Amino acid sequence: IGFFGFRAYGDWLEKDYKVYAASHAKVNLEGKSDYFFDQLAFYDSRDEYNQFAPLYHRGDKQPYPVDDFWNWEWDSRESRRHYRDLKNRSKNASRKALYMVGLSIVNRIVSVVDAMKTVRTYNRKRSLEFSQIKFDLKANLFGHNPTVMLYVSRRW
């Protein structure tokens, strides 16, 4: 339940930050990668990204083409900060969903170890009980009155 809850919350926040970017930065949402949405949180516009990203990333990142498909420009720095907050909360929720899976696995492992210890303790107690019980079988099959007797005794 925790995994699915955090996953759903993260997906809701992802939709929210994308819609927020479309309304406050005039972003075309179609066909964009996660990297593109990451850059929206750090640069006020596509032109700013094209100017500074090659310097910051040592030429590894190519500038976006100058067309409406790749264009964005935030209406204010506060809007960009709010967008970044939404995006970070979405990533945190997705991360927490993965933590829930990890916690579930750890819980199962601890439960197995605990069950093994409980069974071992129970079996030891039972073996002690059985070791104090004595079974004696006495049979007289060839006499005038054939008998078979089983004696069970326990030491207190």
Side-chain angles (χ1 to χ4, degrees):
I1 291 173
F3 171 79
F4 292 113
F6 280 120
R7 189 69 173 197
Y9 182 62
D11 290 345
W12 292 336
L13 287 172
E14 181 178 356
K15 289 176 187 168
D16 287 350
Y17 75 69
K18 287 181 179 180
V19 168
Y20 190 84
S23 65
H24 290 273
K26 298 175 184 69
V27 172
N28 178 352
L29 301 176
E30 298 302 317
K32 301 299 190 309
S33 67
D34 285 338
Y35 177 78
F36 177 83
F37 287 104
D38 287 343
Q39 300 318 304
L40 292 177
F42 297 105
Y43 297 98
D44 286 330
S45 68
R46 179 205 54 217
D47 296 335
E48 184 180 318
Y49 171 86
N50 286 346
Q51 182 180 2
F52 293 111
L55 298 173
Y56 293 145
H57 300 290
R58 298 182 185 177
D60 292 341
K61 304 299 177 192
Q62 298 298 317
Y64 288 114
V66 181
D67 60 22
D68 288 340
F69 183 75
W70 295 104
N71 194 35
W72 82 83
E73 187 165 356
W74 287 102
D75 55 10
S76 70
R77 286 186 186 264
E78 188 56 41
S79 293
R80 183 173 53 86
R81 287 186 191 111
H82 182 69
Y83 168 83
R84 186 184 317 167
D85 180 56
L86 286 172
K87 185 155 181 43
N88 288 339
R89 287 175 29 210
S90 172
K91 284 186 175 186
N92 284 338
S94 297
R95 201 172 299 124
K96 287 177 183 177
L98 291 176
Y99 293 158
M100 294 303 291
V101 171
L103 286 174
S104 296
I105 291 169
V106 167
N107 183 346
R108 297 311 183 269
I109 292 169
V110 168
S111 295
V112 166
V113 169
D114 182 54
M116 288 172 52
K117 286 179 67 177
T118 302
V119 166
R120 186 176 295 142
T121 302
Y122 176 78
N123 287 340
R124 271 196 215 127
K125 286 181 182 178
R126 296 293 295 175
S127 69
L128 287 175
E129 288 176 13
F130 284 125
S131 68
Q132 294 177 357
I133 296 175
K134 184 178 177 185
F135 296 96
D136 285 326
L137 179 64
K138 294 189 180 184
N140 184 4
L141 301 175
F142 302 108
H144 176 5
N145 190 8
T147 58
V148 175
M149 299 180 84
L150 175 65
Y151 293 99
V152 179
S153 60
R154 181 167 189 253
R155 297 171 93 187
W156 297 97

